[in-house]
Amino acid sequence: LRPRAPREDIAEFLDALYHMSAQAYWRTLRGLTEGHAWDVLPSIRVPVLIIAASDDVLVPLSEVQRLHRALPQAHWLQVDDAGHAGLLEAGTEIAQSVRGFLDAHGLGDSASPQAPGTPG
């Protein structure tokens, strides 16, 4: 975690890890290493936002750049001074980018008069 991550957020994150099922976490990690979807990338026809943390050691920047090369139409955000816990380290920056992306594609809160799941 980078120094810019708020200490309260780090504490909440670590508490959640402490209470997580070790077996479920292990199975998730195994599943991530066994699967890939490179073959379906050319068929993607929806807006895509790729967020890359420059200092991520679990998902190296070079791999995320490879993904972007496979999806050249995708929007790109590179978050510098952030690692795998980028949401903790740069949550505001990432949230602003996601909101802008959603708004640009008519998917944000301002695009519809009522939020999804709200009774009409």
Side-chain angles (χ1 to χ4, degrees), residues 65-108:
Q65 290 168 330
R66 178 178 166 220
L67 175 63
H68 191 222
R69 285 191 301 276
L71 293 170
Q73 75 282 10
H75 298 262
W76 173 262
L77 172 65
Q78 181 173 322
V79 184
D80 293 324
D81 194 32
H84 196 68
L87 286 173
L88 290 175
E89 299 162 321
T92 300
E93 180 181 348
I94 292 171
Q96 288 172 343
S97 183
V98 170
R99 280 189 200 104
F101 172 80
L102 292 173
D103 287 343
H105 294 284
L107 303 168

Side-chain angles (χ1 to χ4, degrees), residues 27-101:
R27 287 181 178 172
T28 300
L29 290 177
R30 281 187 50 204
L32 288 171
T33 62
E34 293 170 358
H36 70 84
W38 291 101
D39 57 325
V40 300
L41 294 180
S43 67
I44 293 177
R45 301 287 180 257
V46 296
V48 174
L49 171 61
I50 299 172
I51 301 173
S54 63
D55 300 314
D56 191 334
V57 295
L58 296 178
V59 183
L61 183 59
S62 61
E63 283 300 299
V64 187
Q65 290 168 330
R66 178 178 166 220
L67 175 63
H68 191 222
R69 285 191 301 276
L71 293 170
Q73 75 282 10
H75 298 262
W76 173 262
L77 172 65
Q78 181 173 322
V79 184
D80 293 324
D81 194 32
H84 196 68
L87 286 173
L88 290 175
E89 299 162 321
T92 300
E93 180 181 348
I94 292 171
Q96 288 172 343
S97 183
V98 170
R99 280 189 200 104
F101 172 80

Side-chain angles (χ1 to χ4, degrees), residues 1 7 17 19-20 26 45 47 73 79 82 85 94-96 106 111-112 115 118:
L1 293 169
R7 295 293 170 226
L17 283 178
H19 289 95
M20 184 181 292
W26 176 250
R45 301 287 180 257
Q73 75 282 10
V79 184
I94 292 171
Q96 288 172 343
S112 63
T118 304

